[in-house]
Structures are given as C-alpha cells and as structure tokens.
C-alpha cells in the first residue's frame, strides 16, 4: 500500500510540472496540441480530446510532456507519411505560420515563462506540501537527531567499550571530532576504524620496519629474510585515528584513503603475529611484508559523551575484529515546532532551503566525480525508500520526501541540457545574445540526440536501482 502511495505522489509531481507548462502556454494564448503523461515509448493506454488538446497516457509512465503545433508539424514533416483523408482532417487544425497561437511567434520573455513554468510549479508544489505537513503535524524535522547509547552489548574483550566507562543512556556528542547529529556519522567512523581492517598507512609501515631493525640488529632487513629466521616482534600499537570531514562522514563525499592494502599472505602473517613477542618465519619473505603485517591494528576512536550535563571523554576506543563496537544506539529526531502561521511559513522555507542546498551540493559532487555514477539512483529506489519511510516514520516524512523530490525535479530540469527545460532556456538566451533565431533543424537535431542520451541514462539509473535492491543496499 505504501508503495502505491509513493508512486501516486511521484506521479503527481510529473502532472504538476506539465500542468505548469500547459497553464502558462494557455495564459499567453499558445495552442497546446498534446498533453502527455509518460513518455511516448511503447503503447498508449488512454487518449482523449479536450478542446484543441489531445490528452494521452503512455505505458512508460516515467515522464511527461506538453507539445505545441510547431512540434507536431515538425514530426509530420520528418515522417512524410500518412493517409490522404487524415491529412485533409489535419488541414483544419494547421495554424498559419504567423498565428499568435504558435509558440515560436511569442515574445522571448513569454517563451521563457512557458518553458520555466514546470519548474516554477514544482517549487510551488514543494512549498505547499511542506506547509501542509507543517500545519497538519505541527512540526518539521531539523535533519538532526540526538544519539544515545541504548545498551552496551559487547560480549568479549576484543572491543574495549565495556571497560571504557560508557553507560546506557549517555548522549553521544561527537566521535573523532565529528558531531554526532545522526547515527549514520557515528556508525561510519566506527566501521572505517575497524580492528584489523587490512589497510595500513605508509608512515606506520616505515615506523614498524625501523622498530624491527632495532629489535633485530643481526637480521638483514635490506634483503629478503630467509625461512626459519627468528625475529623479535615489536608491540602492537594503534594506527592513526580516522581523520575525515563532515561531508565524508555525512555521505556527501566519497571516502578515499591513500592507505596500502595487505595481501592475503600478509593478512595471514598478521594473524599469526597476534599476541606473540617473537616469530620463526615459515618461508622466505620481504621485510616490508613483515612491517605491513605488524602495522595493521586499529584506528583509535575518541568519543565524547554527555551524562547529567557533564562531558565525558573516552579515548583509545576500538572495535572488535568484525568491526563491531558493542553498543546499541537510540536516536531521537529533533523537530521544529510549527504551531503558529509564522512558524509554518518560516520553518517550511528554512526546511526547504536547507535541503535544496544539500541537493545542489550532492549534484555538484556527482558532476565533479567525487560521488561515483554508481551511486546515482532513480524512480525504483526512490519508491522503495519512500515506501519504507512512510512505513517507519509515517506520512509526515512521506510528504516531506515528496516535497524534496519536487525541488530535485526543478533543479534537474533547470540544468542547461538540451531536451530539458534548462536546455530550452539556454537556446532562448543564445537567441537573445545573437539577436536572431537559431535554425530549428539544429535545435531539433541536438534535442533528439540529448533525448536519446537521457533515455540511456534513465536505463542506466534503473539498472543501478535494481542492482541496489537485489544486493540489499536499500
């Protein structure tokens, strides 16, 4: 049921967008030939006529369009086919080249309004949904939460959280200097600080090699060390603490490290070294491999807690070998109250502005390659995530997610890419700069090419979505 609700809400966004184009066109007296819900790929499920406009619903529901007589006549010229009786019927609908009902005969500012009206409607609809949610539920999420230790569950001594002084009910203020405004940040730092994670810093490898040389002055660490050689092992010491930005911890930037990965042989050697002070080599080995095996330990975690208004600092905390710290978390979402009309308006705009900035930042990270294309998802994942959100958190979050998607549609459509609204605005701007219209054949050809590219991208995104769902990523 929640999936159907989410699909309905997303479909509503597409309708709102196209209604924006339609309403603006009619406002300026432009005839609309077709109003299509879905993309004209595959069969048409429904078709009817309303005044001069043909209403169509296509089987491929992921999209929509509004077309003008200029577009339809261009398509007919390209096809150069059709029965004579159909052509006779169409002659009655053909507008004169200088007709004021043609889109191309409108002033540039009118064209720009018609083209951008869909984006405008998406923004207005997002504001409406957010204010509706704020008025109905009397609250809006701030996007942050208080994170608490619900229970300490470590059952062995490979994680030292049990003896750290942490207690159930403690509020987690920060981890490694990163504010714990949600559980995701906390878990991310813990996972990337895993005990025996199989990656080591080059500086620590050099340090371990120097320690080996000091402890074993009779061993030649400049060449391969022979089998049956006994070596004194240095103590296990922590690696460098994980040092990342808020953006990486929040998932807005891809986590990258310059650390070196251990080979399977080096990992086996590391496990054999554990809890030993000396070791007799079972085969010939490179000195650097020994140093790498010794360098892999754990990245110490610093956790700042709050208990009864007092700050408690836990230093040198580490996970067990499976990456588990040994605590259950409890989060309490922080809300803004929206009990008055002023609260509803101000906090709704604040909520949308904050999320719009985050979406623009995420889009920039994607464009610049800091977030890989494999992380790009679409309608399938959005529907699944939206359905889960409604199931878990209720319709407040479902409505707000729909509002954010509406803003996202507005942002994407404004990109200066042919076949999108932003592409049409770009051509209008070029016409203004050049002082003349751009050849229709050129704009049509470019539009068709980019339309096909968008279809390919859509297929790629759907594949990403299906793969993510199959692999239980979402």
């Amino acid at each position: 049921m929640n999936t159907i609700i989410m699909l309905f809400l997303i479909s509503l966004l597409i309708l709102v967008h196209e209604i924006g184009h339609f309403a603006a066109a009619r406002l300026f007296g432009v005839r609309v030939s077709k109003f299509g819900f879905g993309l004209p790929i595959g069969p048409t499920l429904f078709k009817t006529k309303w005044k001069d406009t043909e209403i169509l619903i296509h089987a491929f529901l992921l999209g929509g369009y509004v077309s003008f007589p200029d577009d339809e006549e261009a398509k007919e010229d390209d096809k150069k086919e059709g029965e004579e009786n159909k052509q006779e019927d169409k002659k009655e609908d053909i507008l004169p080249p200088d007709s004021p009902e043609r889109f191309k005969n409108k002033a540039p500012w009118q064209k720009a309004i018609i083209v951008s009206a869909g984006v405008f409607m998406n923004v207005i609809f997002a504001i409406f949904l957010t204010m509706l949610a704020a008025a109905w539920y009397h609250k809006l999420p701030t996007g942050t939460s208080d994170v608490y230790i619900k229970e300490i569950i470590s059952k062995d001594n490979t994680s030292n959280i049990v003896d750290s002084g942490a207690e159930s009910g403690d509020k987690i203020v920060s981890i490694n200097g990163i504010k714990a405004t949600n559980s995701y940040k906390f878990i991310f730092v813990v996972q990337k600080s895993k005990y025996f994670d199989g990656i080591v810093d080059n500086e620590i490898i050099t340090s371990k090699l120097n320690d080996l040389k000091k402890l074993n002055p009779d061993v030649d660490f400049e060449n391969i060390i022979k089998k049956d050689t006994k070596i004194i092992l240095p103590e296990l010491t922590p690696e460098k603490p994980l040092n990342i930005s808020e953006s990486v911890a929040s998932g807005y930037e891809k986590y990258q490290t310059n650390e070196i990965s251990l080979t399977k042989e080096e990992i086996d050697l590391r496990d054999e070294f554990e809890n030993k002070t000396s070791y007799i080599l079972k085969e010939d080995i490179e000195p650097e491999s020994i140093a790498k095996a010794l360098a892999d330990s754990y990245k110490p975690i610093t956790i700042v807690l709050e208990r009864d208004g007092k700050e408690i600092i836990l230093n040198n905390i580490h996970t067990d070998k499976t990456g588990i710290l040994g605590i259950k978390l409890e989060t309490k979402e922080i809300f803004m109250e929206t009990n008055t009309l002023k609260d509803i308006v101000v906090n709704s705009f604040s909520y949308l502005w904050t999320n719009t900035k985050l979406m623009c930042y995420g889009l920039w990270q994607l464009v610049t390659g800091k977030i890989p294309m494999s992380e790009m998802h679409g309608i399938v994942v959005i529907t699944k995530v939206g359905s889960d959100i409604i199931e878990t958190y209720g319709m407040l979050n479902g409505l707000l997610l729909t509002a954010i998607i509406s803003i996202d549609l507005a942002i994407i459509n404004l990109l200066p890419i042919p076949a999108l609204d932003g592409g049409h605005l770009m051509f209008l701007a070029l016409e203004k700069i050049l002082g003349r219209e751009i050849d229709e054949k050129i704009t049509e050809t470019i539009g068709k090419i980019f339309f096909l590219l968008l279809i390919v991208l859509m297929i790629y995104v759907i594949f990403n979505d299906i793969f993510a769902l199959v692999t239980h990523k979402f």
Side-chain angles (χ1 to χ4, degrees):
M1 184 60 185
N2 292 326
T3 301
I4 294 172
I5 292 172
M6 201 62 218
L7 280 171
F8 169 76
L9 290 172
I10 293 170
S11 300
L12 199 58
L13 296 182
I14 298 170
L15 278 175
V16 164
H17 183 93
E18 298 309 327
I19 287 171
H21 290 306
F22 178 83
R26 298 306 300 144
L27 177 67
F28 292 118
V30 175
R31 183 181 294 186
V32 178
S33 299
K34 289 183 179 180
F35 183 100
F37 179 60
L39 296 178
I41 300 171
T44 299
L45 302 179
F46 177 79
K47 183 190 295 186
T48 189
K49 190 88 171 178
W50 184 75
K51 294 185 178 180
D52 296 323
T53 305
E54 190 176 18
I55 312 294
L56 303 102
I57 298 177
H58 301 287
F60 196 82
L61 293 174
L62 305 181
Y65 64 92
V66 166
S67 64
F68 307 118
D70 315 61
D71 305 317
E72 296 306 311
E73 287 167 22
K75 289 177 185 176
E76 290 301 318
D77 289 341
D78 287 342
K79 291 178 181 177
K80 291 182 180 178
E81 62 182 13
E83 300 171 8
E84 289 185 7
N85 59 336
K86 288 185 179 180
Q87 292 297 335
E88 288 299 321
D89 291 338
K90 286 181 180 178
K91 281 180 183 179
E92 298 177 9
D93 296 330
I94 292 176
L95 297 173
D98 59 348
S99 172
E101 288 190 88
R102 285 186 179 275
F103 175 79
K104 68 178 182 180
N105 293 330
K106 294 299 176 181
W109 66 271
Q110 292 175 317
K111 292 179 182 178
I113 290 175
I114 294 170
V115 168
S116 58
V119 167
F120 176 76
M121 282 297 289
N122 277 136
V123 173
I124 294 299
F125 193 61
I127 294 170
F128 167 75
L129 283 177
T130 306
M131 288 187 176
L132 175 65
W136 188 267
Y137 293 95
H138 303 291
K139 62 182 180 179
L140 286 174
T142 61
T144 60
S145 302
D146 287 330
V147 183
Y148 296 88
I149 295 176
K150 183 177 182 180
E151 183 183 356
I152 297 175
I153 56 174
S154 182
K155 296 180 181 179
D156 53 47
N157 58 6
T158 56
S159 166
N160 61 354
I161 194 69
V162 172
D163 303 319
S164 68
E167 295 180 5
S168 297
D170 288 347
K171 179 182 175 182
I172 300 172
V173 178
S174 67
I175 179 167
N176 281 19
I178 296 170
K179 292 181 180 179
T181 53
N182 56 54
S183 58
Y184 176 86
K185 291 182 184 179
F186 185 87
I187 294 168
F188 184 89
V189 174
V190 169
Q191 288 178 338
K192 296 301 179 184
S193 302
K194 179 184 172 182
Y195 201 112
F196 283 1
D197 63 356
I199 54 174
V200 289
D201 183 78
N202 193 55
E203 188 177 319
I204 298 178
I205 295 173
T206 303
S207 174
K208 289 298 178 183
L209 195 55
N210 290 333
D211 289 343
L212 283 166
K213 290 176 181 179
K214 290 177 184 178
L215 291 170
N216 302 275
D218 298 330
V219 179
D220 181 10
F221 284 95
E222 303 302 323
N223 297 294
I224 293 175
I225 304 173
K226 300 297 183 182
K227 177 184 176 181
D228 295 328
T229 300
K230 181 179 180 180
I231 54 174
I232 306 300
L233 302 175
E235 292 182 1
L236 185 73
T237 54
E239 299 178 48
K240 293 179 181 179
L242 186 71
N243 183 20
I244 56 174
S245 67
E246 284 275 350
S247 295
V248 172
S250 300
Y252 301 133
E253 286 186 34
K254 184 181 178 182
Y255 172 69
Q256 294 179 317
T257 179
N258 294 322
E259 292 181 306
I260 300 168
S261 297
L262 272 64
T263 65
K264 183 182 181 305
E265 291 74 18
E266 290 164 349
I267 288 173
D268 292 341
L269 193 62
R270 176 202 67 193
D271 294 342
E272 290 190 42
F273 284 167
E274 189 178 7
N275 299 324
K276 291 186 175 68
T277 56
S278 63
Y279 184 80
I280 298 174
L281 298 178
K282 298 177 180 178
E283 58 185 355
D284 296 351
I285 194 166
E286 293 276 357
E288 187 174 330
S289 291
I290 300 175
K292 285 169 69 178
L294 290 166
D296 189 18
S297 58
Y298 65 91
K299 296 177 177 66
I301 301 169
T302 299
I303 302 174
V304 178
L305 304 175
E306 183 183 300
R307 184 190 306 156
D308 299 326
K310 295 180 181 179
E311 189 178 88
I312 300 168
I313 301 175
L314 309 181
N315 292 307
N316 202 33
I317 302 300
H318 61 76
T319 72
D320 64 16
K321 293 172 189 176
T322 62
I324 295 174
L325 189 59
I327 58 174
K328 281 185 178 179
L329 299 177
E330 180 181 21
T331 59
K332 296 179 181 178
E333 193 169 10
I334 302 172
F335 290 92
M336 301 178 278
E337 290 188 359
T338 54
N339 294 317
T340 66
L341 180 60
K342 181 182 177 182
D343 289 341
I344 291 169
V345 174
V346 172
N347 290 338
S348 292
F349 275 97
S350 174
Y351 175 83
L352 286 174
W353 177 245
T354 299
N355 282 280
T356 299
K357 287 192 295 183
L358 290 175
M359 281 188 288
C360 289
Y361 181 74
L363 180 62
W364 176 250
Q365 296 296 94
L366 188 66
V367 170
T368 55
K370 291 183 179 179
I371 295 178
M373 287 287 287
S374 59
E375 295 298 315
M376 183 186 288
H377 295 289
I379 186 73
V380 178
V381 161
I382 289 171
T383 303
K384 171 66 168 63
V385 171
S387 174
D388 292 344
I389 285 175
I390 294 172
E391 175 72 27
T392 307
Y393 302 104
M395 273 306 297
L396 168 64
N397 292 73
L399 288 172
L400 293 175
L401 175 62
T402 307
I404 291 170
I405 296 170
S406 191
I407 292 289
D408 188 44
L409 281 175
I411 293 170
I412 296 298
N413 268 287
L414 271 182
L415 294 177
I417 300 172
L420 295 178
D421 295 339
H424 293 299
L425 289 172
M426 178 182 67
F427 284 128
L428 288 172
L430 284 173
E431 287 178 359
K432 185 70 174 176
I433 293 168
L434 297 172
R436 59 180 175 80
E437 289 187 359
I438 300 172
D439 190 296
E440 285 186 18
K441 289 292 182 183
I442 294 174
T443 58
E444 285 172 17
T445 302
I446 294 173
K448 287 176 182 176
I449 292 170
F450 274 87
F451 179 77
L452 288 173
L453 290 175
L454 286 174
I455 294 297
V456 171
L457 178 62
M458 189 181 294
I459 293 169
Y460 172 78
V461 169
I462 291 173
F463 172 80
N464 270 356
D465 287 357
I466 295 170
F467 181 77
L469 293 178
V470 169
T471 56
H472 304 288
K473 186 177 179 181
F474 290 96

